[in-house]
Amino acid sequence: MKIAFENNLRFAKTLDRSDHLQSYRSKFFIPEINGKKSIYFSGNSLGLQPKTTGKFINQELADWAKLGVEGHEHAERPWLYYHKLSKKILAEIVGAKPTEVVAMNQLTVNLHLMMVTFYRPNSSRYKILTEAGAFSSDQYAFESQIKFHGLNAEDALIELKPRENEFTLRTEDILTAIEENANEIALVIFGGVQYYTGQFFDLKKITEAGQKAGAVVGFDLAHAVGNVDLHLHHHNVDFAVWCSYKYLNSGPGGIAGVFVHERNFKQTDPLRFAGWWGHQESARFEMKKGFKPMDGADGWQVSNVPVLQAAAHLASLEIFHAAGMKALRNKSIVLTGYLEFLLKENDPLEKYYKIITPSGAADRGCQLSLYIKRNGQKIFTGLTKKGISLDWREPNVIRLAPVPLYNTFEEVYRFMEIFKSLF
Ligand SMILES: *Cc1c(COP(=O)(O)O)cnc(C)c1O
């Protein structure tokens, strides 16, 4: 459905009134700047706190106070089985079966754990193919994994750059690069949504091409989970990792997650770094020698569950379940579309800024990245002073993420009024 957008406040308010998800904003604490509610466009860095988070964490604190160690069995949500509680909703969000997902650890830790299993270089097939300019932590993980196998990143890491004068990768170029390196790549790994440009990669096509080339294919979904539609199972992705503190609103340093396709469960005894929480539940406390993994993604768990973080995670996942990813994505497309419309109306010739995020809704999530042509830092500072929370990326990019759960069309309009006034 194409909406004929209008550049006026009345129209923005009309969009808000017809928004079925409007009531969800009141489920979150909106941070203030200078004593006034901010326009919070930083949900891609740290999602907002649901008002129910405190209740979920307090339940665990109360059970811990009352029960001590007995809480493992007798807490309202017994801690021993806590990792099971998030599975169903996580599976809905990433398009997987509940057995294929588990919440655990932190994102980069999970990336390493998955690479231990899924990056298995040999003398002829040893390269990793990824996007240039991946998030720093991912770059460090890739380089150190390569070194761990006694290889050299200069040789073993293929980083694809956009064409000259372009900001984002063309899918056709990614597919060609996969084909051209088909004999040498062990692993193809991309962000789901690129953190800097906001580009939503074509997971289906990349997976198909990577696997056809004989490689394993994984994704870092830090900026995709809770933001765009994902069909990890259906698209046959081998593995994926994500964090929960960005769009998933589970709090700073929140518990992360992994997906392992059930196809990969059939490998007998896949190589992995094991720990007791991945050991068969019925025998875990026998404390015996000989690791026997749990079925499914659970077998990749290492440590027991950080329950306070996992409680915050559940609070947020409940909201996602109630709102539904489909409805969220539908609103998101219109909300970001409206921001794009206003930005283009204001500067049609791209004299002052350029949107580097792809313009098609299928190729992006909610984030728009703007390349500011002059005085970027000054404009960024001006925006924050006027109550807008957003972020700055060197050398001259601001990122704006209108989030469908808690941002409004009116906020998008008001942002634009302030932004305009700074040029
Ligand atoms: C946010 C983000 C990270 C952060 O890693 P942590 O392990 O959660 O600290 C890593 N990679 C990507 C792509 C990210 O967007």
Side-chain angles (χ1 to χ4, degrees):
M1 181 187 52
K2 194 104 184 112
I3 296 176
F5 289 132
E6 291 175 29
N7 185 359
N8 60 66
L9 181 60
R10 199 173 41 82
F11 182 77
K13 287 185 171 179
T14 309
L15 288 176
D16 279 326
R17 272 196 302 275
S18 60
D19 168 18
H20 300 298
L21 296 172
Q22 204 192 10
S23 64
Y24 281 87
R25 177 176 168 83
S26 67
K27 297 185 189 296
F28 292 87
F29 291 110
I30 310 291
E32 298 191 344
I33 296 181
N34 304 327
K36 272 176 48 191
K37 272 198 177 137
S38 62
I39 295 179
Y40 194 80
F41 284 166
S42 295
N44 55 342
S45 293
L46 185 72
L48 291 182
Q49 182 185 146
K51 289 179 181 165
T52 47
T53 302
K55 192 184 92 187
F56 275 74
I57 293 178
N58 284 333
Q59 176 71 49
E60 304 315 328
L61 291 176
D63 286 346
W64 178 23
K66 193 170 78 188
L67 300 167
V69 70
E70 295 299 317
H72 283 302
E73 288 280 2
H74 301 296
E76 174 138 325
R77 301 184 187 92
W79 304 330
L80 281 177
Y81 313 110
Y82 217 95
H83 63 276
K84 297 184 184 184
L85 303 176
S86 52
K87 273 177 183 293
K88 189 171 149 273
I89 303 177
L90 278 176
E92 286 169 16
I93 292 174
V94 301
K97 297 186 176 179
T99 49
E100 292 174 315
V101 298
V102 67
M104 62 183 199
N105 311 315
Q106 301 284 320
L107 169 57
T108 312
V109 171
N110 287 343
L111 182 55
H112 277 298
L113 292 174
M114 289 291 108
M115 286 181 79
V116 164
T117 300
F118 293 108
Y119 174 52
R120 307 289 310 136
N122 61 36
S123 57
S124 56
R125 189 180 277 288
Y126 60 95
K127 294 192 177 176
I128 297 176
L129 186 142
T130 188
E131 83 248 27
F135 195 96
S136 59
S137 200
D138 299 47
Q139 295 183 32
Y140 307 149
F142 302 157
E143 284 172 12
S144 57
Q145 285 279 337
I146 287 168
K147 267 196 205 160
F148 178 69
H149 288 284
L151 300 165
N152 177 349
E154 297 263 294
D155 174 35
L157 191 60
I158 305 170
E159 296 177 301
L160 303 186
K161 286 199 181 75
R163 293 185 189 188
E164 206 165 330
N165 299 320
E166 295 186 16
F167 289 92
T168 52
L169 282 162
R170 300 189 192 189
T171 304
E172 66 205 80
D173 291 353
I174 298 174
L175 302 184
T176 304
I178 291 174
E179 242 174 70
E180 284 173 358
N181 293 283
N183 295 328
E184 291 185 330
I185 40 178
L187 175 65
V188 173
I189 184 160
F190 276 77
V193 172
Q194 220 282 342
Y195 87 98
Y196 189 87
T197 64
Q199 178 177 18
F200 180 18
F201 291 114
D202 191 327
L203 271 60
K204 181 168 184 273
K205 287 194 177 146
I206 293 173
T207 304
E208 273 169 13
Q211 289 169 348
K212 188 162 158 240
V216 174
V217 182
F219 291 93
D220 181 334
L221 302 177
H223 285 264
V225 69
N227 176 18
V228 290
D229 291 322
L230 294 165
H231 308 279
L232 299 182
H233 176 86
H234 193 61
H235 289 164
N236 212 27
V237 170
D238 282 293
F239 72 91
V241 292
W242 57 86
C243 56
S244 69
Y245 50 82
K246 291 171 181 167
Y247 296 105
L248 288 187
N249 307 321
S250 301
I255 191 167
V258 300
F259 162 87
V260 179
H261 199 284
E262 68 178 358
R263 241 177 341 101
N264 293 318
F265 303 161
K266 298 194 186 97
Q267 276 187 54
T268 38
D269 204 14
L271 203 70
R272 61 181 138 204
F273 285 172
W276 72 323
W277 231 250
H279 189 78
Q280 283 179 354
E281 191 176 282
S282 57
R284 190 180 292 144
F285 286 89
E286 292 171 10
M287 317 298 265
K288 282 202 188 124
K289 257 179 111 65
F291 175 70
K292 294 205 186 78
M294 289 172 82
D295 293 336
D298 287 1
W300 273 268
Q301 293 178 101
V302 178
S303 291
N304 75 96
V305 181
V307 167
L308 300 182
Q309 284 181 32
H313 196 33
L314 288 186
S316 173
L317 291 180
E318 267 197 354
I319 297 175
F320 272 88
H321 178 65
M325 254 336 281
K326 250 222 131 50
L328 284 168
R329 178 64 172 147
N330 287 343
K331 173 177 171 184
S332 178
I333 288 170
V334 185
L335 191 62
T336 294
Y338 191 49
L339 176 60
E340 179 186 41
F341 164 81
L342 294 177
L343 284 164
K344 285 193 166 162
E345 278 249 312
N346 181 57
D347 184 20
L349 301 177
E350 299 181 338
K351 265 174 74 181
Y352 304 104
Y353 52 81
K354 178 177 174 57
I355 304 173
I356 64 173
T357 306
S359 62
D363 301 320
R364 69 182 184 210
C366 70
Q367 173 188 321
L368 292 184
S369 303
L370 304 190
Y371 174 94
I372 309 281
K373 299 201 169 167
R374 268 185 307 275
N375 298 332
Q377 264 292 353
K378 221 174 98 201
I379 286 160
F380 169 74
T381 312
L383 285 168
T384 37
K385 279 200 185 127
K386 297 269 185 179
I388 293 157
S389 175
L390 75 170
D391 94 359
W392 170 258
R393 292 283 147 169
E394 294 295 336
N396 44 21
V397 165
I398 60 174
R399 300 185 306 166
L400 307 162
V403 172
L405 267 174
Y406 46 73
N407 286 125
T408 66
F409 291 91
E410 181 172 344
E411 285 181 305
V412 166
Y413 183 83
R414 292 199 186 278
F415 157 79
M416 201 55 219
E417 292 289 286
I418 296 166
F419 188 51
K420 267 197 259 190
S421 74
L422 296 171
F423 285 90

